[in-house]
Amino acid sequence: MRGEYLSTRIRSACAVVILVVIIGISGTAAGSEVMGLFEQRAIAIPIGFGENVSGEIISTGYMGTYTFRAEANDSVYIRMGTKTSSLDPMLILIGPDGGEINRTQGYTSVELHELLGADGMYTILVGDDNDHDTGAYGLFLQRTNNPGNTIEIVGMSLLGTISTTGGMQTFTFTVGTGDAAYIRMGAKDSPLDPMLILFGPDGGEINRTWGYISTELFESLGVGGTYTVLAGDDNGYDTGTFGIFAQVTTNPVNATLLQSGENTTATITVPGGMDTYCFSAAAGMRCFARMGTKASSLDPMLILFGPDGVEINRTQGYTSTEMDEVLDTGGMYTLLAGDDNGHDTGIYGLYIWVQEPPVSVVPFPGYAEMPTDPDGDGLYEDVDGDGVIGFNDVTVYYANLRFVEENEPLEAFDYDGNGRIGFNDVIVLYGEVP
């Protein structure tokens, strides 16, 4: 034991002597360089969940060291990116016992997503894949099952910023079991190529998407809870501002209720942003919606979701767009309005009309053609089915009052609106003849 102790003391003394000799021979500059090397190897930087940090590999073979504390069954996502350097990113994750858990390397960015097995302090080592290049890098860490530094996003269009290479911003929203969610991200005045990653309440990745100027995700969610969205640059090295929008399409938040025949004016204020509208309809009703712009660069887009939250249809155009849908089920429908390309903003106008389902009429005795509703008011004044309202319609109607009561839908031929068929309806119909 004494021999081992002396051996250790001798090795330490030799190291100090060598360091002193180097400093003495080479001067202050060389001494500072050596001390800097010792500092680089020794210092571990704490990093929090949801935090973006910047660092630099200043010498061949150097690595940056970061630590974070986590618990067993935590799910952590780590991303490293480079842009203005020749560095090929490499990440190594080390557990509390000092053993390597995983590593990854790439060209401009790399990521790790790991389910952790134990409580304790974890270590992230960052460096160059080939161990010879140097340069600046960015690092991001998040716990996806219980994220830190988050922003609530549901029912809102918000601006975000990626300020560090490889950086990401974290958003959350809460849903019930069986809900569906739509998420959109857009960028305009920055080189950012939008990327979205969606994680479930357990921290597991559900889906991801990326695009050139905008991207979107739609998911039917199996379980209730808080979901996490990470937004960043597709390639992991560009920075800049972006817009993001999220909505629960089965039970929308901050939605504007529209009535049939209503006109409204609104503004898309952020790239990728959307406005949410909802309206109630019965099965068989027809919905007509139109969106138009004039004094903005907005290219109108409408997306219609059914009561189950699933997309029914979408339409887009240059200065205006419209959709005309027969609705299969009754309930509350959701309509999203935004820019077609997902990056322009501006003012728009929106109109919606919901028509009652057509009634089931039958031809009058002696006529083969169905009665029609020429003026679209829900009353079938064209009794003989020739397409116009004339004196013959009055005559045929008067001769068949009992037939109307027994065979036709009352609401289609009750011209005076008193809830029954009678001679006063004949008088009202006569007044409709041009």
Side-chain angles (χ1 to χ4, degrees), residues 223-422:
V223 298
T226 299
Y227 287 74
T228 301
V229 180
L230 298 184
D233 175 63
D234 173 20
N235 298 305
Y237 62 84
D238 282 322
T239 59
T241 60
F242 64 90
I244 187 169
F245 166 81
Q247 186 57 274
V248 181
T249 56
T250 38
N251 188 23
V253 178
N254 297 330
T256 300
L257 181 64
L258 294 177
Q259 303 295 332
S260 180
E262 186 174 355
N263 289 282
T264 187
T265 301
T267 304
I268 301 297
T269 58
V270 304
M274 303 196 83
D275 290 331
T276 307
Y277 301 91
C278 60
F279 62 90
S280 179
M285 284 187 170
R286 180 180 293 273
C287 169
F288 174 83
R290 192 168 200 235
M291 178 183 178
T293 63
K294 182 180 180 181
S296 70
S297 56
L298 204 69
D299 294 328
M301 180 178 74
L302 293 171
I303 310 178
L304 179 64
F305 298 86
D308 60 356
V310 176
E311 181 177 331
I312 296 173
N313 198 4
R314 69 172 62 197
T315 179
Q316 56 273 332
Y318 180 57
T319 58
S320 66
T321 191
E322 63 183 46
M323 66 168 57
D324 191 357
E325 289 289 325
V326 176
L327 308 175
D328 293 333
T329 59
M332 189 67 72
Y333 285 77
T334 300
L335 186 66
L336 299 183
D339 175 62
D340 173 21
N341 297 306
H343 63 88
D344 284 321
T345 59
I347 300 172
Y348 66 89
L350 178 67
Y351 169 78
I352 189 169
W353 176 57
V354 182
Q355 183 186 31
E356 292 290 338
V359 294
S360 300
V361 297
V362 297
F364 274 59
Y367 292 85
E369 301 297 328
M370 295 284 190
T372 68
D373 177 13
D375 56 5
D377 64 353
L379 297 172
Y380 285 65
E381 299 95 342
D382 172 28
V383 174
D384 59 11
D386 65 357
V388 296
I389 305 173
F391 286 110
N392 190 57
D393 295 307
V394 179
T395 302
V396 174
Y397 181 79
Y398 175 68
N400 293 280
L401 292 178
R402 179 61 62 85
F403 172 84
V404 173
E405 288 181 331
E406 295 176 352
N407 298 279
E408 300 285 8
L410 176 66
E411 64 272 19
F413 297 94
D414 180 20
Y415 304 124
D416 65 1
N418 67 355
R420 60 181 184 274
I421 302 299

Side-chain angles (χ1 to χ4, degrees), residues 180 188 207 220 222 305 374 418:
K188 183 177 182 180
N207 202 354
S220 294
F305 298 86
N418 67 355

Side-chain angles (χ1 to χ4, degrees), residues 15-93:
V16 172
V17 169
I18 291 170
L19 178 58
V20 171
V21 169
I22 292 173
I23 295 173
I25 294 174
S26 304
T28 306
S32 299
E33 218 172 277
V34 173
M35 292 306 294
L37 184 145
F38 272 75
E39 290 172 2
Q40 285 281 332
R41 300 291 185 179
I43 297 175
I45 303 171
I47 182 172
F49 295 123
E51 188 175 355
N52 293 283
V53 297
S54 296
E56 186 176 3
I57 303 300
I58 63 173
S59 181
T60 300
Y62 275 25
M63 299 196 81
T65 308
Y66 299 86
T67 58
F68 65 93
R69 184 170 293 280
E71 298 177 357
N73 298 317
D74 276 347
S75 184
V76 296
Y77 174 90
I78 311 164
R79 194 181 201 209
M80 176 186 178
T82 64
K83 182 177 182 180
T84 58
S85 68
S86 55
L87 206 67
D88 294 327
M90 181 177 71
L91 286 173
I92 304 176
L93 179 62

Side-chain angles (χ1 to χ4, degrees), residues 87-287:
L87 206 67
D88 294 327
M90 181 177 71
L91 286 173
I92 304 176
L93 179 62
I94 298 173
D97 62 353
E100 180 176 327
I101 296 174
N102 203 353
R103 70 169 63 198
T104 183
Q105 56 274 334
Y107 179 57
T108 59
S109 67
V110 291
E111 63 179 40
L112 279 174
H113 187 206
E114 293 292 329
L115 181 64
L116 305 181
D119 296 355
M121 188 69 73
Y122 288 78
T123 302
I124 304 169
L125 299 182
V126 301
D128 175 63
D129 175 20
N130 299 307
D131 210 24
H132 62 77
D133 286 320
T134 60
Y137 63 85
L139 181 68
F140 170 76
L141 170 69
Q142 186 57 277
R143 179 170 53 194
T144 55
N145 59 308
N146 184 21
N149 193 25
T150 65
I151 301 172
E152 179 72 19
I153 185 63
V154 67
M156 293 181 284
S157 296
L158 300 176
L159 277 175
T161 302
I162 302 299
S163 56
T164 63
T165 301
M168 303 197 84
Q169 200 162 353
T170 308
F171 302 88
T172 58
F173 62 92
T174 302
V175 301
T177 301
D179 278 342
Y182 173 89
I183 310 158
R184 195 180 201 211
M185 177 184 178
K188 183 177 182 180
D189 298 324
S190 70
L192 209 66
D193 294 329
M195 180 178 75
L196 293 169
I197 310 177
L198 177 64
F199 298 88
D202 63 352
E205 181 175 332
I206 296 174
N207 202 354
R208 67 172 63 197
T209 181
W210 54 88
Y212 177 57
I213 52 177
S214 67
T215 192
E216 64 179 39
L217 270 176
F218 174 78
E219 290 292 329
S220 294
L221 307 174
V223 298
T226 299
Y227 287 74
T228 301
V229 180
L230 298 184
D233 175 63
D234 173 20
N235 298 305
Y237 62 84
D238 282 322
T239 59
T241 60
F242 64 90
I244 187 169
F245 166 81
Q247 186 57 274
V248 181
T249 56
T250 38
N251 188 23
V253 178
N254 297 330
T256 300
L257 181 64
L258 294 177
Q259 303 295 332
S260 180
E262 186 174 355
N263 289 282
T264 187
T265 301
T267 304
I268 301 297
T269 58
V270 304
M274 303 196 83
D275 290 331
T276 307
Y277 301 91
C278 60
F279 62 90
S280 179
M285 284 187 170
R286 180 180 293 273
C287 169

